[in-house]
Amino acid sequence: MEKYMRRCLQLARLGEYYVAPNPMVGAVLVSADGVIVGEGFTAPYGGPHAERCAFADHDLRFPGVAVDTLVVSLEPCCHYGKTPPCADLIIRRGVRRVVVGCLDPNPLVAGKGIEKLRNAGIEVVTGVLEQHCQWVNRRFICLHKHHRPYVILKWAQTADGFMAYLPQGEGEQPRLHVSTDLTKRLVHRMRAENMAIMVGTQTVINDNPRLLCTHWSGRNPIRVTLDRHHRLNPESRIFSDEAPTIVYSDDTDWRHITEDLASRGIHSVLVEGGARLLQHIIDSDIYDELHVEVGEQTIGQGVMAPKVELKQCRLTQIRQQRLYEWTRQTPPL
Ligand code: AOF
Ligand code: ZN
């Protein structure tokens, strides 16, 4: 069943930039002699689920062929959300067997989808490539399991460990450029992969960023920042109408912010700096991944990058840049 599940995971990723806050799911329908006779993946948020799309695909391309097994990367749902329950559809379609990658942690489902299928006499096999299926939806699973978004910290620093020039009085600050065109594009891909993006007050003041996803396909993330001393100019580009923006000014404790983001249904946040905010989060130990880009230049003095041990990180070299990546959970091969 693994080869069918691998295909489900490929299909699931086709929805990657559009389905949040829903999980990305892939489903295939298999005939009794092992041929794939229908494929589907979760439609953009609010649209039909993977299973429903797979049956629609079957009806178009293989209308006369009987379906024996449904293989799906996440437990089929059994609740009415924006769409009706997949479990009911599967039962109605007379499938003999359902093969599931991992359980749906959403308390409205959480095992009840599988139970419903079994009660209807369908054979259910679970846990096929389970870790892979969980990894694909680690953001969605984190939200439901820990009631906080999946947190990714990202910054760029010089070879001598600085992430910005020292402030020089009033007015425009000179910008330190570490990223290259290629790594900037990779950052925009990360923005597309996450529901929210966050920077500290000083970054808004110094860089006046838009924090949009312009160099990758996908939706703009929700922008998040802090403003404890009401220093932000309402004309800042972070307040443009291209994406929503959330500002925390009273309670800027990281744990409380993550709880609030979770209560808004936000399953992931990419934190792009600056140094103080990143260090506060690192000290709180509430984060899941680190992505640190180290350029080759040295500047002698500046704003120091957060202190973390890069030794355990996976290292990738992109031309002159070194990219260090660390995840709390080990990704499956
Ligand atoms: C599935 N197949 O492809 C997905 C599932 O509001 P709705 O109707 O879209 O339901 C969203 C919930 O359904 C979501 O939180 C998760 O529990 C489940 N997602 N289930 O059977 C799918 N994307
Ligand atoms: Zn469903």
Side-chain angles (χ1 to χ4, degrees):
M1 282 299 133
E2 286 199 2
K3 73 174 177 193
Y4 299 115
M5 194 59 82
R6 283 193 196 279
R7 179 63 187 146
C8 289
L9 288 166
Q10 286 180 331
L11 291 163
R13 285 193 191 281
L14 297 177
E16 184 158 24
Y17 304 122
Y18 300 97
V19 300
N22 271 356
M24 38 182 140
V25 182
V28 301
L29 300 170
V30 185
S31 68
D33 50 0
V35 177
I36 292 183
V37 292
E39 296 189 327
F41 56 95
T42 312
Y45 181 60
H49 290 178
E51 300 89 322
R52 198 166 296 276
C53 295
F55 282 114
D57 182 47
H58 167 268
D59 295 348
L60 265 177
R61 295 199 296 142
F62 301 92
V65 187
V67 175
D68 177 74
T69 301
L70 163 77
V71 185
V72 59
S73 56
L74 185 80
E75 173 185 8
C77 68
C78 54
H79 70 297
Y80 282 88
K82 290 194 184 307
T83 67
C86 291
D88 292 354
L89 173 67
I90 297 164
I91 294 166
R92 227 176 27 247
R93 296 292 301 235
V95 171
R96 181 183 69 84
R97 179 173 55 165
V98 174
V99 177
V100 174
C102 67
L103 288 188
D104 184 343
N106 180 350
L108 295 171
V109 188
K112 296 193 276 285
I114 287 172
E115 198 181 295
K116 190 163 195 183
L117 296 173
R118 285 199 173 127
N119 288 343
I122 296 175
E123 178 191 340
V124 183
V125 180
T126 58
V128 175
L129 290 183
E130 186 173 31
Q131 285 181 8
H132 295 71
C133 295
Q134 287 171 337
W135 179 253
V136 165
N137 283 317
R138 60 195 182 280
R139 296 169 175 81
F140 174 78
I141 291 172
C142 178
L143 176 67
H144 284 289
K145 229 167 113 185
H146 304 302
H147 310 290
R148 65 162 176 84
Y150 191 84
V151 178
I152 301 179
L153 308 184
K154 179 253 148 218
W155 72 86
Q157 66 180 59
T158 60
D160 52 352
F162 299 108
M163 57 183 287
Y165 290 114
L166 285 173
Q168 297 167 351
E170 292 298 305
E172 286 263 310
Q173 300 290 330
R175 296 275 298 274
L176 173 65
H177 294 282
V178 173
S179 303
T180 63
D181 284 347
L182 183 59
T183 57
K184 268 183 212 153
R185 190 164 285 233
L186 293 178
V187 170
H188 280 239
R189 181 173 77 181
M190 291 175 79
R191 291 181 180 180
E193 285 167 351
N194 293 289
M195 283 185 73
I197 181 168
M198 182 170 186
V199 295
T201 319
Q202 205 57 47
T203 302
V204 176
I205 293 172
N206 291 352
D207 300 352
N208 196 14
R210 292 201 301 159
L211 303 178
L212 302 174
C213 172
T214 37
H215 301 300
W216 202 268
S217 51
R219 299 177 304 193
N220 289 324
I222 295 165
R223 299 171 292 190
V224 182
T225 191
L226 309 173
D227 192 15
R228 266 182 8 124
H229 305 293
H230 305 283
R231 294 194 293 147
L232 291 188
N233 181 346
E235 301 293 314
S236 303
R237 300 206 292 175
I238 198 172
F239 297 118
S240 71
D241 53 15
E242 291 143 309
T245 303
I246 302 170
V247 182
Y248 292 100
S249 43
D250 302 326
D251 185 357
T252 55
D253 174 72
W254 180 238
R255 180 180 297 278
H256 295 160
I257 288 176
T258 59
E259 285 165 3
D260 184 74
L261 293 173
S263 74
R264 298 168 190 253
I266 294 174
H267 71 25
S268 49
V269 57
L270 172 67
V271 184
E272 286 199 27
R276 270 187 61 178
L277 174 61
L278 288 163
Q279 193 67 56
H280 171 67
I281 296 174
I282 290 168
D283 293 343
S284 77
D285 206 33
I286 306 173
Y287 62 98
D288 302 281
E289 291 186 20
L290 279 179
H291 293 246
V292 183
E293 177 181 355
V294 181
E296 44 166 10
Q297 81 263 49
T298 54
I299 58 171
Q301 57 170 349
V303 178
M304 286 223 286
K307 289 199 180 12
V308 284
E309 190 66 77
L310 293 178
K311 272 196 205 122
Q312 304 161 356
C313 297
R314 199 184 73 192
L315 175 61
T316 318
Q317 186 94 26
I318 296 189
R319 301 205 187 114
Q320 278 74 39
Q321 313 292 101
R322 280 172 289 155
L323 292 188
Y324 291 92
E325 288 171 359
W326 172 88
T327 57
R328 200 172 284 276
Q329 233 177 306
T330 315
L333 289 174

